[in-house]
Amino acid sequence: MTTKQERIEIRTDLFNRVKRAVIKVGTGVLTHDQKPAASVITHLARQISWLMDEGRQVILVSSGAIGLGVIKVGLRERPTDIPHKQAAAAAGQPSLMHAYEKAFGRYRKKVAQVLLTRDDLCNRRRHLNARNTLNVLLDWGVLPIVNENDTVVVNELKFGDNDNLAAMITHLMDAQMLVNLTDIDGFYDKDPHVHKDASLVPLISRIDRTVEQTACDIPGALGTGGMSSKVQTAKKVTSSGIPMVIASGLKPNILKSLFQGKDVGTLFLPGRQKMTCRKCWIAFTLKEKGAIRVDRGAARAICKQGRSLLPIGIIDVDGEFREGDMVGCLDLDGTAFAKGLVNYKASDIRKVMGLKTSQIRKRLGHKYYDEVIHRDNLVITLDETEDPLCQ
Ligand code: GLU
């Protein structure tokens, strides 16, 4: 347990280091009683402008297109099927940007709209293009406002929700903090809508199973992701060495309070491992296309010595994937411990598994690489504290 004073010190230190932050705002903050919450948007604009004037770079990830579209078109409730959601987003996105442009205009700040799909971020070239564009906007002092390009994505290509999109943008832009603004004060030890005695947890140093289980789904009236999705986002962000906060976007001056180190919302402490942007892309943006099961020796060599995965350590291959795809690495018990980009397709790996690298050419008729996954393309995903290989 930490004291309030200790938490203030931790927060002050972390927030002082933030030169670039991603701020995510949920639909529950931007709409109220089936109306756009104009005063909240203005208040957010004032606080974000204050951060920008302090010399910090901010990228805003904003939901609200579907919510505002529902209101604009006059639908009685948020649609559940994809074409209606997409149409609502198409109607609502200009309203959202109009509201931001007007609100930020008051503080003489310019905004830009950036609509992305998961496909864009999975493709390495488009991923880098998106980063270059965002960097230019930040250099110009223009606030990028990012949302999913809802009208063109189908379920399997979706980010899932904007919590996940915000994590990917945090990694893409190498930000030092993700602030997730929602319509409740933070992470509670029980569902605060049901239990009167639920209390806010101010600091989480490790996202273990209890935290994940407690993060019961409590979606906002017009939003998509609940607490569970926010905790999964925190897991991705903190495991790459970046802190995240969940706080209420409806609380006056919440951003100012956070950046002044005040003990508000829930702070998820960063893990010790700082991952490069490329490794984050492999681990958190790409979709897993299959899995490779390895023996104990290979799992150890990868986790403890940072080695590449060679055919000799492979005992099984799941799925049909191609060269360059991202796959999970599983140990003998089926525990996923790493992710990486494969140099060979699944059917070729099945042919060479268990063999020495010197036998690859003979078996396949060609050999492009010694490694099935090169260590530069491998990311360990197991938290040290839950790593059986450490014991
Ligand atoms: N892209 C959706 C919207 O703007 C939001 C998805 C989400 O809230 O997670 O409405």
Side-chain angles (χ1 to χ4, degrees), residues 358-376:
S358 56
Q359 297 172 288
I360 298 177
R361 189 184 306 277
K362 195 160 170 233
R363 186 76 180 86
L364 295 182
H366 62 262
K367 185 178 84 168
Y368 305 128
Y369 301 93
D370 282 349
E371 309 84 11
V372 170
I373 304 180
H374 190 276
R375 61 182 181 186
D376 290 349

Side-chain angles (χ1 to χ4, degrees), residues 116-242:
L116 293 170
T117 62
R118 183 170 187 154
D119 226 18
D120 296 327
L121 293 189
C122 285
N123 176 297
R124 189 71 189 154
R125 186 176 288 182
R126 300 218 296 270
H127 173 98
L128 295 175
N129 277 341
R131 183 159 76 191
N132 291 341
T133 304
L134 288 166
N135 272 325
V136 173
L137 290 168
L138 293 173
D139 281 350
W140 284 346
V142 174
L143 174 77
I145 304 184
V146 183
N147 196 359
E148 182 159 11
N149 194 357
D150 288 304
T151 50
V152 295
V153 286
V154 288
N155 240 356
E156 55 282 12
L157 296 178
K158 278 187 80 60
F159 288 108
D161 53 49
N162 273 9
D163 294 319
N164 200 23
L165 169 61
M168 289 183 194
I169 297 293
T170 305
H171 291 141
L172 175 76
M173 297 309 290
D174 212 2
Q176 294 91 31
M177 176 70 69
L178 169 58
V179 178
N180 196 324
L181 294 180
T182 183
D183 51 3
I184 57 172
D185 284 332
F187 178 87
Y188 282 82
D189 60 351
K190 295 180 207 148
D191 182 352
H193 299 124
V194 179
H195 304 277
K196 285 223 168 72
D197 61 339
S199 47
L200 183 78
V201 183
L203 183 86
I204 295 182
S205 49
R206 193 172 152 258
I207 302 169
D208 55 17
R209 289 203 183 95
T210 324
V211 173
E212 286 183 83
Q213 270 159 20
T214 313
C216 45
D217 258 0
I218 322 162
L222 290 174
T224 306
M227 189 49 74
S228 169
S229 125
K230 288 176 182 42
V231 166
Q232 288 313 313
T233 300
K235 207 169 169 187
K236 289 180 193 159
V237 168
T238 56
S239 66
S240 61
I242 304 165

Side-chain angles (χ1 to χ4, degrees), residues 24 27 62-67 78 93 96 147-148 150 160-163 223-225:
K24 187 255 167 179
T27 304
S62 179
S63 302
I66 300 174
R78 188 183 168 98
Q93 182 64 26
L96 185 65
N147 196 359
E148 182 159 11
D150 288 304
D161 53 49
N162 273 9
D163 294 319
T224 306

